[in-house]
Structure formats: C-alpha cells, structure tokens
Amino acid sequence: MSALQLTAAESRLLELLRRQRALTASEAARLLALSVPTVTAQLRSLANAGLVRADSYAESSGGRRPLRYTFQPGAVLAVGVAVWPGTIQVLTCDLDLVTLHSRSSALPGPLSAQRLRRAVAHGVEQELAWLAQSRSTAAADPIGVGVSLPGVVDTERGVLVVAPNLFMSGVLLSEFGLPLPVLFENEANAAALGETYCRPRPRGESLAFVSVSHGVGVGIVFDGRLHRGASWRAGEFGHVAIPGGRRRCNCGRSGCWEQYASQTALLRRFGGRGAARMERFLQALNANSTAADSSLERYLDHFSLGLQNVVSCLDPDEIVIGGAVSAIGEPLSEGLRRRLSAAPMVSPAPLIRLSRLGLQASALGAAALHLRRLFE
C-alpha cells in the first residue's frame, strides 16, 4: 500500500499513534470510539505499510497479552527546500520532522528563473545521492519534495507571482523538473505549517508565524489550516508601511515594515555602513556590548510597530517568531512582549514565543506539505 493512499479512518488512527506513540488495538478503539476488530484490521494495514510496528506486548487484563503497536516515524521521508536571497537550504526529515541530513549552499545573484531551477534541482539531486548512500540511516525513500520561496506563491497554478527580495516575478514552478512529486509554498506559510505540524492546535485557535530573515513574512493558521488569501497574498505584513517609515523597499514602496524589522535592518543598524554578520552581532550582544544593546532596543521598537498591525488585524492566540533573528532568543521575545503589553489596542498581548524549529522552520514546513497528507 502506498504511504499516500490511506483511508480516512487509517489516517485518523495514524495521527492518534503519532501523538500517543504506542497503543494496543483496544486502547486505540476506546480513544476512537470504534470496535476492536475494526481497529485491529486498520493497524495491520498500517503495519503492512511500515508506518507502525507490533513490537511488544502490553500487560494482560485477563487472557492473552495484547500486542502494542508503535509509531514508526522513519517509515516515510520527505525532502524540504528553503530558498533565501543568497542561500538555499536542503534537508531530509522523517514523519516527526526530525532532520536526518541537511546542507546549505550559496545562491549567487543576480538570480534568473533558470538559475533558480538549476540550484533547486542540484540541491535535491545531492540530497537524493546522500540518501542512496545512507540506507542504514534512512531506510525509506522520500515521498516528495517541498520547496519554500520568499514571495507570493500561487500554489494552484504553480507560479512564483512575485518575490521582491529575489527580484523575480512570474516564474513557472512546474518547470523545475524534479524526480519526485513537488509542492511549493511561501516560506512563512511553510514555517507556520511546520510549527503546527509539530504541535497541532486545538480546534478554533489561531497562530501567526512571523518569519524574519532578509525580509518579513507572516504565515497565518486558522483552525488548523493555512490562510493564503484569495490572491495568495495573505500575510504580506512585511510590505505594510509603519509609522515614520521612509526607507525604499525592494517591492517599490517606501516605509515597509521589513525595511526596519528584517535581519538586514538589524545588522545595518548595528554595523553602520559596513555589512555586519549575525554571528558578530550575537557575540557582541552576549558580551553586553552597548552598541549591540542599543541596536537591539531600537530594532525592537520598529519590530513591535509592525507586530501591532498583525495583532490588530488577526488577533491570534499565539505569535511565533522564526527565521534568522530568532537566534537572539529571549531578549527578542521578551522585548516584544513588553512593548505590545504597553501598546494601546493590542494589550493584553497574545502569547509570543520563538519557533521550535529554529532556522530550519521553512524547509521542514516545506517537507511537511507532503507528510501531513498521511494524517488528513
């Protein structure tokens, strides 16, 4: 049975096992309100697909000891790709979104559609070559490739509509020619998907994933599903002007939030005209540098202005901060909490925390585009 051809009932059972990790047929039947024979047949089907394994016996309550079935995250793999200005990240992960292998390489500009396709194809080919040589580490074949891109992605037509920080528009994604099924997504949406895949939210709750690297994007999850918008532009808060903003943006407008809240903006402020690196800023911050502390405080002032727009428009239960600036850690999240709590119309502030997926959030979320289908 193909890993992508589960019945709805099998998907529901597999999701239960993903959360519980190990169950007997009777335990699963009780939690799903089904008969034991029905669940037993489903478990055998999942076991035949390698998704679960009967590898131990539970204590008996009288009679024969029941088999305990264990979730097998390594049974299915996927490849995730994250494209950034100047960098491409490729990784392989399992059903728990645990990274088995990853690589990053330069993506030199100026970038054309052809060079982008070649870079993604080359990165995926290298990853598949690693998998072919690592059967002891990764016994399964990947079921697909997910690619995240920093721009407006029409996932139905397969078009990168516009990516201001890549200086690209109208790129046909269907022409990438990868050897596996491929899905594309906006990078902030992918990161939000990865975050909710790892920690499913209660029904009715919402999450805003603020992805901050070269630009700023917001992935929006309502009731467990991505909200992309009618024209795939939902979450483009990075291109909403903030009060007092005048700096020219790559999108063609002035005063956009990402010109003041991106990693580039932070490092510009810290390094002056010279291009500082994030590593140097973090070292200075850890050493209690006055310049680093001052740069961070001013940066947080601007970050919080745009974040107030996010809260006012979406009113999410939770805000997750990801991307390169999440490496700042608690000073970043606590500084934002403090500013939002003191701001009119957005206090009390929603829960604000850092991404659990770190710098791999977008690539892992891209891989989850395929993996989540087993649980739907």
Side-chain angles (χ1 to χ4, degrees):
M1 180 176 70
S2 169
L4 288 177
Q5 294 179 343
L6 303 182
T7 67
E10 289 167 347
S11 293
R12 187 180 174 210
L13 175 57
L14 187 64
E15 171 61 21
L16 177 64
L17 273 159
R18 181 165 77 108
R19 288 186 276 111
Q20 299 287 336
R21 310 311 290 183
L23 289 169
T24 65
S26 60
E27 290 169 338
R30 176 174 51 82
L31 292 170
L32 295 173
L34 295 173
S35 70
V36 173
T38 295
V39 171
T40 299
Q42 293 171 358
L43 284 169
R44 286 173 179 166
S45 180
L46 293 177
N48 289 336
L51 294 168
V52 303
R53 185 173 67 192
D55 56 3
S56 63
Y57 287 93
E59 292 298 322
S60 174
S61 58
R64 183 180 300 176
R65 294 175 64 191
L67 278 171
R68 174 170 282 121
Y69 290 83
T70 305
F71 180 65
Q72 300 296 302
V76 177
L77 308 178
V79 175
V81 180
V83 175
W84 307 101
T87 306
I88 182 170
Q89 182 183 54
V90 185
L91 56 78
T92 299
C93 66
D94 64 14
L95 281 171
D96 281 335
L97 285 199
V98 172
T99 301
L100 305 183
H101 182 257
S102 68
R103 67 179 77 235
S104 294
S105 56
L107 188 62
L111 197 61
S112 65
Q114 185 178 26
R115 293 184 72 176
L116 174 61
R117 294 185 189 106
R118 287 177 178 172
V120 171
H122 180 65
V124 171
E125 288 169 1
Q126 286 186 308
E127 197 64 12
L128 294 179
W130 174 83
L131 281 166
Q133 297 172 1
S134 307
R135 285 305 179 193
S136 61
T137 304
D141 291 322
I143 60 173
V145 178
V147 181
S148 71
L149 298 155
V152 177
V153 179
D154 183 333
T155 61
E156 286 187 0
R157 294 190 300 130
V159 176
L160 177 60
V161 179
V162 60
N165 291 325
L166 295 180
F167 301 97
M168 304 181 74
S169 62
V171 179
L172 292 176
L173 302 175
S174 59
E175 297 178 356
F176 274 57
L178 298 177
L180 291 169
V182 59
L183 296 171
F184 297 89
E185 186 56 86
N186 164 269
E187 60 87 13
N189 286 349
L193 175 64
E195 197 74 25
T196 54
Y197 178 98
C198 291
R199 182 172 174 264
R201 305 197 58 74
R203 183 172 297 278
E205 289 197 5
S206 57
L207 174 145
F209 189 106
V210 183
S211 180
V212 186
S213 291
H214 293 82
V216 177
V218 179
I220 305 165
V221 176
F222 288 132
D223 200 15
R225 296 193 174 275
L226 283 175
H227 176 68
R228 298 182 175 95
S231 299
W232 315 97
R233 293 188 295 259
E236 289 293 337
F237 284 93
H239 296 291
V240 175
I242 62 171
R246 296 181 179 179
R247 183 176 289 276
R248 187 75 170 171
C249 182
N250 290 333
C251 75
R253 292 183 283 192
S254 297
C256 291
W257 182 31
E258 74 173 35
Q259 290 301 308
Y260 299 87
S262 65
Q263 170 192 328
T264 305
L266 171 63
L267 298 183
R268 183 196 306 122
R269 181 175 297 280
F270 174 65
R273 293 187 178 183
R277 294 179 61 85
M278 195 67 184
E279 293 84 355
R280 185 163 72 85
F281 172 78
L282 294 173
Q283 289 172 358
L285 193 66
N286 291 333
N288 297 317
S289 159
T290 301
D293 288 340
S294 175
S295 297
L296 179 60
E297 289 300 306
R298 187 61 177 147
Y299 170 76
L300 289 171
D301 288 342
H302 284 123
F303 199 143
S304 66
L305 289 176
L307 208 56
Q308 289 176 47
N309 289 335
V310 175
V311 175
S312 295
C313 292
L314 303 179
D315 194 20
D317 294 284
E318 185 175 14
I319 292 176
V320 179
I321 309 297
V325 301
S326 65
I328 295 170
E330 189 61 23
L332 175 72
S333 53
E334 178 55 35
L336 293 173
R337 288 188 204 104
R338 187 170 64 251
R339 285 164 172 79
L340 259 64
S341 296
M345 297 298 293
V346 298
S347 181
L351 174 66
I352 300 175
R353 64 172 176 84
L354 302 175
S355 171
R356 294 180 173 87
L357 301 179
L359 297 179
Q360 295 184 334
S362 292
L364 288 170
L369 290 167
H370 291 278
L371 300 176
R372 67 173 180 161
R373 293 183 168 188
L374 277 75
F375 306 103
E376 295 181 340

